[in-house]
Amino acid sequence: MNKKSLFYILGVLCLVASAAMYFIGKDSSHLSELKDFWWIPLPLGALALLMASRK
């Protein structure tokens, strides 16, 4: 596995984790912290996808 595919997988996982945090925390009052902090994985995911798109 090269670095490009590793960064791509990491970026996609961060975006999926962010969406999962938002949708899981949206309905439960016990898990409302997930909805409050759903945006935290987004910069890491964006950075990883940016690194994957570089030559």
Side-chain angles (χ1 to χ4, degrees):
M1 180 182 297
N2 58 11
K3 286 185 181 182
K4 192 173 213 175
S5 62
L6 180 68
F7 281 125
Y8 180 74
I9 291 170
L10 182 63
V12 170
L13 280 175
C14 286
L15 296 178
V16 168
S18 179
M21 287 171 64
Y22 182 80
F23 287 113
I24 291 171
K26 178 174 65 169
D27 296 329
S28 176
S29 63
H30 297 291
L31 300 173
S32 64
E33 294 87 9
L34 290 175
K35 186 177 180 231
D36 295 340
F37 298 109
W38 67 272
W39 55 270
I40 290 180
L42 287 179
L44 178 62
L47 182 64
L49 289 175
L50 180 70
M51 293 296 290
S53 67
R54 295 181 124 200
K55 288 188 176 182

